[in-house]
Structure formats: C-alpha cells, structure tokens
C-alpha cells in the first residue's frame, strides 16, 4: 500500500494485527503497532486486544509489556481483553489469578464471555473446589441470557461428588438428570452414590441406581453398599435389609462387608439389635424373603455386644426362617465363643458345621486355634495347626504369635518349634512378641491364657436346644 502511495488507516492496521494475532505471530504484530504509531495513528482497545492475542503463547513478559502499554495509554479493558488475559491464566491452571480478573470484571460491570466463564468454572471443578464452581455457574446464568454447556454442569457434579459436597450434589444431580436430561456415566454415578451413603441420602442413592440401570451398567456389590449405608445413617434398617434381598434378586451375593453399615448401626445397644430383629420379622410378615446376610449381621452385632446367648438363640431360628448357616455364621459365633472362653460350645459348633458339610477356611482354623488356647488344656491348638497346614492353608502370623505367647506363659518348650515355623513362613517376629519371649511371659499382652470364667457365667451362656 505504501509503495502505491496509500496510507493505511486504523481499520487496516487492526485487520492486519488481528491476522497476526490469530496466527500467534507476536513479532509481526508488534512491528505493525510500532509502524502505526510512527504514522501518527493511535492504537485503540481493539488493537491491544489483537496484540494480546498474538502474545498468548509467548513468554509472560510479552503480556506484561502489552498491559503496561495499555496502562500508559489510558486504555481500559473490555470483555475481549479480559477474556484473553483470563485464558492465559487458565492455560497455566492459575485459578487464583483467573478468578481475580473475573471478580474485577464484575466490579466494573462487565460480563465474561461464555468461553471465559466456562473455563474458570471447569478449572475450579477440576481443582476440587465444587462450591466455588457451582456459585460461579449459578451467578453466570443468573446474569446472562446465555446457558452453560452441559459438560460444564457434569464437571461440577463430578467435582461435588468427589469431594462429598452434600449440598452441591443435591442441587446438581436433579439439574443434570432431570433439567438438562443427561445420564452421567458410571464413574460419576458411583461418586454420587458415595456422597449419598456418607450423608444418609437414600432417596438420592435409589435414583442413582435407577440411572445406572438406564445406562446399562452391570450392577455390582459396590453399587448397593452405599445405598445400605444411606439407609442405616437415617435409621431405616428395614430398608437396608430389603436392599440385601434386592441384591440377591439381581444375582449379586451380599457379603459381611456389604452388611458392615448395618453392623455399625445396630451394634450400639441391645435395643438397636431388638429393633433390627423387629424389622426382620416385619419383612417376613410382608412375605419377603429373608436373606442369610440379614440374620448373620444380627448375630455378628450380638457377639460384638458380648451377648452370646442371644447370638445362639438367633442361630437356632435358621430352620424356622428357611435359611441355612454359612461360613460367616460360624465365624461370628466362634468369635463369641473365644470372647466367652466357651470351648464346649465351640466344639459343638464345629460338629454342626461338619454336619452341614461346610468346609472350613483359614479364618475358621484361626478361630479354632485361638479358642483352644483359651482353655487350661490347649494341646488341640497344635492339632488344628497341623490340620490347617495339611489342608494347604497358610497360617497367618497371628496364629503363631498366639501359640508362642501361650507357650511362653506356660513355660512350654514347644514355643521354640512354633517360633521356628513362624520364621520359616517368612514372618518377622514383632517387637511385642520378642518382649514376651525375653521376659519369659511376664510381658504378655494380658490375655490371661487359660483362666476360666466363673462357672455360672460359663454354663449360663450354654443355650439348650
């Protein structure tokens, strides 16, 4: 143009600088700015916006130079220049500075662009700040006719659920699933389930289960455990029991871990166990199938409270309830026998377990050995240890430590054999066990091996059939 004698005007310069800005060519853009100043043309706010755009990938010092030039020229920022500055900070994951500029825009009465707002909200969600992300999202839509993209709301929901932010999840779940009509993926749904379980939100948990079915997720045990926890946190043990039955109907086998929230809820007192049994009876009266896990967890809670008589009383109702005991049933009852030092009752349990053709596992043998060690005569502990090894079951370190401690206390030289086996299995001798051995049993952990309970306590806990 200059060769033809034509002088570029402001529009011409801005158009050329815009082109260099889009291409990320800062040197060329700066040259044009210098040229337009030399030609007596004063850069305007759009000129600086295009210049900021051109230095977006350059070192930060280039951005500061543009801002200094704007300040010296008395040029105020617009939505466009703020958008470029905020985007620069977002690219560096600098949420604090991006948020600072966003607040500065609001104080000046400027509304951020949709892309700018979404970028800040998404970064806040990714930085595990769901409360901030939700507030920014709500404020933007309240002050603008534009709507945020759907994935922004999903990001907020995911962040809120990952942080167990109750209020955020309660607000965002219906907004995403009902208002925006989006079905979150399984990962997001599971995070929402965890929030529902932690805060006792069973209705939310059941709605998440509905969504999981809609998206075709294969239901697993870990989908139901938060639902059970949610019911238990709101003292709705009956519904928690029904969830265990629902799992079985979906071909999912509940375990003792699945029922752990129920156990924690009813172990607090005998009144809580009574209420749980009443809930079980109510389900039975309604014609619902009583799952074995339901009865097992009531036995487990009874044993936890030291009520062995109640636990065995429940055990004797299995036939009436139309269920059969499982390995967990016997494990819970054997734990009660250990606490009560009731070897005779434990022997009867093992006999009935064999009659039911339930194969013992390593945990069964561990309980049997410890039970034997509670009596005055504990030779059977060695018998069960050998039987355990013959079944190719790996004795845990706790078994050897229990045997060694009892032998040391009783001055039984067989502790050296057990100690040798412990080391042959690759276990290390714990500092506590070393103290017991070196002290000749005087530093034992206070289990009072072999001391019988008063006769009336031992016999009274033996239920009659």
């Amino acid at each position: 143009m200059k060769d033809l004698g034509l002088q570029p005007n402001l529009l011409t310069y801005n158009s050329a600088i815009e082109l260099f800005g889009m291409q990320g060519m800062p040197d060329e853009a700066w040259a044009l700015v210098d040229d337009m100043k030399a030609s007596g043309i004063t850069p305007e706010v759009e000129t600086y916006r295009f210049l900021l755009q051109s230095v977006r990938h350059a070192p930060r010092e280039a951005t500061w130079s543009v801002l200094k030039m704007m300040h010296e020229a008395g040029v105020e920022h617009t939505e466009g220049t703020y958008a470029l500055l905020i985007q620069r900070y977002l690219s560096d994951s600098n949420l604090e500075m991006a948020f600072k500029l966003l607040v500065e825009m609001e104080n000046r009465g400027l509304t951020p662009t949709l892309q700018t707002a979404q970028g800040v909200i998404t970064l806040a969600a990714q930085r595990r700040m769901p409360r901030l992300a939700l507030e920014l999202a709500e404020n933007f839509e309240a002050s603008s006719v534009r709507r945020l993209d759907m994935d922004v709301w999903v990001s907020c929901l995911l962040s809120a659920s990952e942080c167990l932010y109750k209020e955020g999840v309660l607000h965002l779940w219906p907004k995403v699933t009902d208002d925006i009509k989006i079905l979150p993926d399984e990962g997001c749904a599971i995070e929402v389930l965890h929030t529902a379980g932690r805060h006792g939100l069973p209705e939310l948990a059941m709605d998440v289960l509905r969504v999981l079915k809609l998206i075709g997720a294969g239901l697993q045990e870990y989908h139901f455990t938060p639902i059970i926890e949610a019911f238990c946190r709101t003292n709705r043990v009956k519904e928690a029991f029904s969830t265990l039955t629902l799992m079985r109907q979906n071909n999912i086998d509940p375990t003792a871990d699945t029922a752990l929230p129920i156990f924690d809820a009813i172990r607090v007192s005998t009144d809580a166990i009574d209420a749980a049994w009443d809930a079980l009876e109510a389900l039975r009266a309604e014609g619902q199938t009583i799952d074995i896990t339901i009865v097992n967890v009531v036995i487990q809670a009874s044993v936890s409270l030291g009520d062995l008589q109640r636990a065995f009383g429940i055990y004797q109702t299995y036939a009436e309830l139309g269920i059969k005991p499982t390995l967990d049933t016997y494990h819970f009852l054997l734990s009660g026998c250990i606490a009560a030092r009731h070897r005779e009752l434990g022997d009867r349990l093992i006999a009935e377990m064999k009659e039911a053709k339930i194969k013992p596992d390593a945990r069964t043998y561990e309980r049997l050995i410890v039970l034997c060690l509670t009596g005055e005569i504990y030779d059977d502990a060695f018998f069960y240890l050998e039987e355990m090894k013959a079944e190719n079951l790996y004795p845990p370190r706790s078994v050897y430590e229990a045997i060694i401690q009892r032998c040391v206390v009783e001055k039984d030289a067989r502790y050296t054999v057990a100690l040798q086996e412990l080391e042959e299995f690759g276990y290390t001798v714990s500092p506590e066990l070393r103290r017991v051995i070196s002290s000749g049993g005087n530093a034992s952990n206070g289990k009072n091996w072999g001391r019988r309970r008063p006769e009336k306590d031992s016999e009274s806990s033996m239920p009659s059939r």
Side-chain angles (χ1 to χ4, degrees), residues 413-435:
R414 288 178 293 181
Y415 87 85
T416 58
V417 178
L419 181 61
Q420 182 181 352
E421 284 193 15
L422 179 147
E423 293 175 338
E424 288 175 352
F425 272 102
Y427 298 126
T428 57
V429 180
S430 66
E432 179 187 352
L433 184 58
R434 288 191 185 278
R435 286 194 296 270

Side-chain angles (χ1 to χ4, degrees), residues 316-362:
Q316 291 172 334
T317 66
Y318 274 46
E320 179 185 347
L321 294 173
I323 55 179
K324 295 180 180 180
T326 63
L327 193 57
D328 280 340
T329 309
Y330 292 106
H331 286 168
F332 297 145
L333 291 172
L334 282 172
S335 295
C337 293
I338 292 171
R341 302 176 183 273
H342 208 319
R343 170 70 187 278
E344 182 182 354
L345 204 52
D347 289 341
R348 197 178 88 186
L349 272 175
I350 294 302
E352 293 181 2
M353 182 176 166
K354 290 180 179 179
E355 184 181 341
K357 297 182 178 180
I358 296 178
K359 186 176 178 61
D361 64 5

Side-chain angles (χ1 to χ4, degrees), residues 174-421:
K175 184 174 186 65
V176 169
T177 58
D178 297 335
D179 299 346
I180 308 179
K181 306 297 182 183
I182 294 179
L183 295 179
D185 61 24
E186 184 179 0
C188 181
I190 290 176
E191 294 294 346
V192 175
L193 272 178
H194 290 163
T195 304
R198 175 68 63 87
H199 294 287
L201 306 170
E203 287 76 17
L204 173 62
M206 292 302 294
D207 193 57
V208 175
L209 186 64
R210 173 188 66 84
V211 170
L212 285 169
K213 292 179 179 179
L214 287 176
I215 65 176
L219 296 181
Q220 303 292 333
E221 183 267 349
Y222 53 79
H223 292 132
F224 289 91
T225 303
I227 300 176
I228 294 172
E229 182 183 3
F231 280 126
C232 290
R233 287 186 181 275
T234 52
N235 297 316
R236 295 164 65 177
V237 176
K238 180 181 176 183
E239 287 85 350
F241 284 164
S242 296
T243 306
L244 292 172
T245 303
L246 178 63
M247 290 179 63
R248 193 79 68 176
Q249 292 171 352
N250 283 274
N251 298 317
I252 301 171
D253 294 332
T255 66
D257 290 337
T258 312
L260 184 60
I262 302 175
F263 170 68
D264 289 335
I266 68 177
R267 67 184 294 192
V268 294
S269 67
T270 54
D271 289 340
I273 295 178
D274 288 338
W277 189 258
D278 291 341
L280 185 152
E281 291 288 2
L283 291 175
R284 188 181 174 199
E286 294 170 5
Q288 290 197 32
T289 302
I290 303 300
D291 192 86
I292 178 63
T293 314
I294 297 174
V295 191
N296 278 351
V297 74
V298 181
I299 288 181
Q300 183 185 14
S302 300
V303 169
S304 176
L305 288 177
D307 196 343
L308 185 59
Q309 187 169 1
R310 179 197 293 265
F312 266 86
I314 296 171
Y315 167 66
Q316 291 172 334
T317 66
Y318 274 46
E320 179 185 347
L321 294 173
I323 55 179
K324 295 180 180 180
T326 63
L327 193 57
D328 280 340
T329 309
Y330 292 106
H331 286 168
F332 297 145
L333 291 172
L334 282 172
S335 295
C337 293
I338 292 171
R341 302 176 183 273
H342 208 319
R343 170 70 187 278
E344 182 182 354
L345 204 52
D347 289 341
R348 197 178 88 186
L349 272 175
I350 294 302
E352 293 181 2
M353 182 176 166
K354 290 180 179 179
E355 184 181 341
K357 297 182 178 180
I358 296 178
K359 186 176 178 61
D361 64 5
R363 295 176 300 159
T364 315
Y365 280 107
E366 180 181 7
R367 285 165 172 77
L368 274 174
I369 292 169
V370 174
L371 179 60
C372 291
L373 292 172
T374 62
E376 289 185 352
I377 301 174
Y378 56 90
D379 290 342
D380 284 347
F382 293 94
F383 168 78
Y384 284 121
L385 177 61
E386 294 304 317
E387 184 177 300
M388 181 181 188
K389 291 186 291 184
E391 293 290 334
N392 293 319
L393 296 173
Y394 203 75
R397 184 172 69 174
S398 59
V399 164
Y400 283 109
E401 289 191 341
I403 292 175
I404 293 169
Q405 286 197 38
R406 179 64 196 275
C407 288
V408 171
V409 169
E410 299 295 334
K411 314 302 180 185
D412 186 338
R414 288 178 293 181
Y415 87 85
T416 58
V417 178
L419 181 61
Q420 182 181 352
E421 284 193 15

Side-chain angles (χ1 to χ4, degrees), residues 76-97:
E76 296 289 340
H77 285 290
T78 63
E79 288 90 343
T81 56
Y82 272 120
L84 290 169
L85 289 173
I86 291 174
Q87 185 57 50
R88 178 67 188 255
Y89 287 122
L90 293 178
S91 300
D92 295 335
S93 296
N94 191 336
L95 176 63
E96 290 75 12
M97 286 303 299

Side-chain angles (χ1 to χ4, degrees), residues 1-2 5-18 32-33 35-44 46-47 50:
M1 289 181 65
K2 290 184 176 180
L6 300 176
Q7 178 61 38
N9 58 17
L10 178 62
L11 178 60
T12 306
Y13 276 113
N14 279 350
S15 298
I17 297 172
E18 180 182 11
L32 282 177
V33 172
D35 188 72
M36 68 185 297
K37 286 182 176 181
S39 300
I41 300 177
T42 303
E44 61 170 4
E46 284 297 282
T47 310
F50 300 143

